Amino acid sequence: QVQLVESGGGSVQAGGSLRLACVVSGTIFGLHTTRWYRQSPGNQRQLVAQLTLAGTETYADAVKGRFSITRNWNTNTWYLQMNNLEPGDSGVYVCNGDIRPTQPDSFTPHWGQGTQVTVYA
């Protein structure tokens, strides 16, 4: 069974950095677009960053210039480098990837369990 396993969350002072990682557990046939979302209390899940198979990066306006999404093609792992963090960046970060588990399958979205990021002033 395909699972997404996240790591790298924690607590950091404003201005600091964190690097989140999301790794696909299990054998898959293909991985397409990868994403990071943020869920905070009282707010809808928000797309923070996206990286397509073609290498196109998209960011939420609030994180442009501070966050960077990258990917390791060999290990089916993607990362979110978060620099100059602000208290408003706090929340549960959830990774998402369009995965094709086996050759007959279509690409379908898979979700991680989420990792907490807390930025204090």
Side-chain angles (χ1 to χ4, degrees), residues 94-116:
V94 183
C95 66
N96 167 278
D98 295 335
I99 293 173
R100 189 178 179 185
T102 64
Q103 186 175 5
D105 297 320
S106 301
F107 283 98
T108 55
H110 288 66
W111 295 87
Q113 78 286 356
T115 185
Q116 178 69 46

Side-chain angles (χ1 to χ4, degrees), residues 3 8 57-58 95 100:
Q3 291 183 322
E57 300 172 36
T58 305
C95 66
R100 189 178 179 185

